[in-house]
Amino acid sequence: MDLDLDYYFPFSDVSKTLQRINMYPFFDISHYILMCLLVKEDTPQLGTPTFSRHHSFASWLASMLMCFAGTIIGNGLTGEPLIVPFQNHRDILVATIVWYVLNYAPFDLVYKLAKFAPVHLAVCLLKEIQRTRKVFDGVAAGVRLYPQAYLLNVLIGLVKANGSPVMLLFARLVTGQFRPPIVGAFSVTTKACLVVAIVFLMEHTGHLPAQYHNHVYLGAAAFFVLLRLAVKLLGPMDPFYPFEWLAGALLFGGLADAISGLFRQGGAASRPPSAAPVVATDGSAGAAANGAPKKAATDKKRE
């Protein structure tokens, strides 16, 4: 007997709306804002307008690479041309306008507005709704191209939704600085995208019933939104750490290392303490040093 989730969670209409809603322009603009902010704050002048004033083309190109990072890297995995995202003049124009006003508005007003906490939070939440769509579309494209390659299906969905950590290396090359990202490739967002991509893949392969699709999609969107809210309101956190720690302890040698460490500590405690060497003080050392020649002279006279 199938469980009727619509009876307990009557949110199918919300899920259908999220799946049908057009990502342009508001959701796309939110993504462009976050990526242009990332480039602006990652430049050597740390968010000041100096770099974009003196290196406008480098700043623009790095921002465009970040804005379309998921599509560029995803096309590389699916065998499509990498420059396909740049053939859409509308998207390039909108992203360029966002880049321009963030970097060249008088008194940095637009930049300060985008960094204002309530505005920034709203932009981030819109971005998470778009991220859900990108994960789903990426997994669907992977299943369509490589039906039995489950690893590729998950990987395509992952990079479509979160390709910026990888593209950040190339953006730094464009801006004249090459260093690894401070936040590793497997950030909390990357882990969340990985989990959601696996869930969507299970849905495509039939491991999750098709009639639950609306609830699965809505749950994925809520997961992204709540995770971003928690990070913004409570500070940096990693809800996946307990599961990683448990997996490391049980499957990857963590438990064996802990047991061997306990045995080493027990062996060290059972050994008797060795006698500490007698260390002479400065006075006794000096006395011994001064007395040695006198004793040698006395012995020589006796002879």
Side-chain angles (χ1 to χ4, degrees):
M1 181 178 179
D2 293 335
L3 179 64
D4 186 11
L5 291 181
D6 287 330
Y7 179 78
Y8 299 98
F9 304 100
F11 301 112
S12 295
D13 293 338
V14 178
S15 178
K16 293 176 182 178
T17 301
L18 291 179
Q19 295 175 61
R20 291 195 302 262
I21 192 171
N22 192 358
M23 294 290 104
Y24 177 84
F26 301 108
F27 297 93
D28 289 342
I29 289 177
S30 67
H31 170 68
Y32 299 152
I33 290 174
L34 293 177
M35 294 300 101
C36 292
L37 285 177
L38 179 59
V39 173
K40 181 179 177 65
E41 296 174 351
D42 192 63
T43 50
Q45 284 76 21
L46 299 177
T48 63
T50 305
F51 183 84
S52 58
R53 295 284 195 276
H54 296 164
H55 308 281
S56 301
F57 180 73
S59 174
W60 174 82
L61 182 57
S63 299
M64 294 303 105
L65 290 176
M66 294 297 293
C67 288
F68 303 101
T71 306
I72 294 173
I73 301 175
N75 287 353
L77 294 176
T78 57
E80 300 177 20
L82 301 182
I83 60 174
V84 167
F86 296 99
Q87 72 179 2
N88 192 325
H89 302 295
R90 184 194 66 182
D91 293 344
I92 293 294
L93 179 60
V94 173
T96 301
I97 292 174
V98 172
W99 163 80
Y100 184 85
V101 297
L102 280 174
N103 287 278
Y104 302 105
F107 309 107
D108 261 355
L109 290 178
V110 178
Y111 171 74
K112 294 175 182 177
L113 178 63
K115 294 296 292 183
F116 184 54
V119 176
H120 191 74
L121 180 61
V123 170
C124 290
L125 296 184
L126 290 177
K127 164 62 183 175
E128 297 309 316
I129 299 298
Q130 187 203 47
R131 193 190 306 277
T132 309
R133 175 78 64 85
K134 287 186 174 182
V135 175
F136 181 79
D137 292 344
V139 172
V143 171
R144 185 171 59 254
L145 293 173
Y146 311 105
Q148 301 301 323
Y150 297 148
L151 180 60
L152 284 179
N153 302 156
V154 172
L155 187 59
I156 293 172
L158 173 64
V159 300
K160 286 277 190 179
N162 192 44
S164 56
V166 178
M167 188 59 72
L168 184 58
L169 293 172
F170 299 95
R172 285 175 173 173
L173 281 176
V174 171
T175 57
Q177 50 171 345
F178 180 77
R179 67 182 190 277
I182 297 176
V183 179
F186 274 85
S187 61
V188 176
T189 303
T190 305
K191 297 173 186 177
C193 291
L194 179 62
V195 171
V196 173
I198 293 175
V199 172
F200 283 148
L201 177 63
M202 293 175 62
E203 186 181 22
H204 280 285
T205 55
H207 292 86
L208 289 177
Q211 63 266 28
Y212 299 153
H213 167 69
N214 292 329
H215 300 87
V216 171
Y217 190 93
L218 183 61
F223 174 64
F224 280 129
V225 169
L226 292 176
L227 182 61
R228 179 55 67 98
L229 277 175
V231 172
K232 286 295 181 183
L233 299 179
L234 304 178
M237 58 181 299
D238 188 353
F240 303 99
Y241 177 76
F243 304 100
E244 294 179 356
W245 180 87
L246 183 62
L250 297 180
L251 302 177
F252 303 110
L255 185 60
D257 292 342
I259 294 175
S260 62
L262 290 176
F263 276 111
R264 285 196 299 268
Q265 292 179 2
S270 62
R271 290 196 299 268
S274 57
V278 179
V279 180
T281 61
D282 294 341
S284 61
N290 295 332
K294 294 180 180 179
K295 183 178 180 183
T298 303
D299 294 342
K300 188 174 183 181
K301 288 180 180 180
R302 289 178 180 176
E303 291 177 357

